[in-house]
Amino acid sequence: SRPLRGRSACRCEIHLRRALAGLLQRDCQQRGRGAAASAAGDLQQRVGPESGQLLRIAPPLQPDVDWLAVRGQLVDAIFRLGGGRLPAGEEPLEFKEAPCSEFGDCPEAPGAIVRRAVWEISVRVNASFVLALNSTGFLSPADSAPLDRETLVIYHSGHYPSCDRCAIFDDDGVIQWLNGLGYDVMHLQMPLFMCNYVESMRCDHSFFKEFEEAGAPTMRFFLEPVVLAVNFALGKLGYKRVFMTGLSGGGWTTTMLPAFDPRISLSMPVAGSMPCDFRHTSWDFEQLCDQSWAQIANYTSLYVLAALEPSRASVQILHQADPCCFHACHRHKRIADYNAWVATQAAGHFSTSVTDGDRHIVSLADRAVIAAALEHWSSSDATQPAPS
């Protein structure tokens, strides 16, 4: 039988979500409660609140913020090109089409035809040393004629558990699901993980710490590949708009990019961040609240910037009892509070959807939210209220 696509697939996901809701409805899972308890303790001096009361946390947000100025400062802090300029490159070192099994591990669909793009990111550490790492992306086409020929969806897989496995698709099947909905997908991966794995450096982002402390702009390794992919998609591949989603570290990347690159008109980060005063404990190096970029724009600011313009939207997805990252257990009131504040600052749409579940995956409920958002903002009349 033919896979459901477009509106039919979206309705199917929504009905399935409603059916599952009755099975999954519960108070927080024990793991969620444990995370809430531990988060208030031994790491509070490192992560601190966004109100600026503890060590090296961005100062409180003030009314009448010049958000375009904040965006420019954020871009300069990350890329250090001056003038609020993003990297201008677009052509990858390689852009090759072949069965995915030629490029890496894809037991889910060994005969699938994908295109591999490889960009080099080079950062000068000092006068005599430049750190250069490759960043790999895989463009997988819609299963049949694209539902939307003008839209590319970027999926960022984050901190993949099998970090040295060069996987073309994600284990949750999200990329193939998006292809089945009728979207072309560019799969991007974290530095040092998956197809970007470097044996001598392992899968540890603290590797970048000594270079960051030496003054090198190491955040470029995390964020520049997405900018270059957007440049390539819009400048060479013929796409007219770019949407983005990702899980965990990929959700964090999906939170960061739209804040400073308004060409990403719809972002849907999954389990990717919370404001620092939620006292989360499993931050990775690049995500820490005392990073130099976070002194300019804390997480709440990033949410505003991702939905700053009227035509843009960001739908944050959190899990009620996520055992890893950013659970929503007993936090709904505080989540609603930062949503309300963002709404006073952003002309576009920002919302948080909390889905049931206690697994760190892109769940069926998450997919229902993503499918509804894709359908709504892919339409020509996306200025109408978002689906509830």
Side-chain angles (χ1 to χ4, degrees), residues 30 51 54-55 66 99 109 204 242 273 286 333 349 354 363 375:
Q30 186 60 41
S51 61
L54 299 183
L55 180 65
D66 184 345
D204 185 357
V242 177
S273 75
E286 67 277 4
K333 173 60 168 63
H349 173 86
V354 175
S363 67
E375 180 178 19

Side-chain angles (χ1 to χ4, degrees), residues 110-128:
I113 302 298
V114 299
R115 293 183 177 183
R116 181 175 67 184
V118 180
W119 291 272
E120 182 182 79
I121 311 299
S122 299
V123 170
R124 179 165 294 281
V125 178
N126 54 44
S128 60

Side-chain angles (χ1 to χ4, degrees), residues 114-172:
V114 299
R115 293 183 177 183
R116 181 175 67 184
V118 180
W119 291 272
E120 182 182 79
I121 311 299
S122 299
V123 170
R124 179 165 294 281
V125 178
N126 54 44
S128 60
F129 178 62
V130 173
L131 178 62
L133 296 172
N134 283 351
S135 181
T136 304
F138 296 96
L139 179 62
S140 57
D143 286 351
S144 55
L147 177 70
D148 183 348
R149 295 179 181 275
E150 296 186 340
T151 300
L152 175 69
V153 178
I154 292 176
Y155 179 78
H156 202 294
S157 52
H159 301 98
Y160 197 75
S162 302
C163 72
D164 58 349
R165 174 188 170 213
C166 184
I168 312 305
F169 301 108
D170 63 292
D171 281 350
D172 296 342

Side-chain angles (χ1 to χ4, degrees), residues 59-67 341 345:
L61 295 169
Q62 302 297 325
D64 303 320
V65 176
D66 184 345
W67 288 111
W341 193 89
Q345 303 294 307

Side-chain angles (χ1 to χ4, degrees), residues 14-26:
I14 291 172
H15 289 318
L16 184 56
R17 179 187 180 191
R18 288 170 178 166
L20 286 173
L23 299 174
L24 294 173
Q25 196 64 249
R26 64 178 70 89

Side-chain angles (χ1 to χ4, degrees), residues 172 174 247 270-271 319 322 358-364 366:
D172 296 342
V174 179
L247 172 68
V270 181
H319 301 141
D322 196 307
D358 58 356
R359 297 180 64 195
H360 191 59
I361 62 173
V362 181
S363 67
L364 290 173
D366 301 341

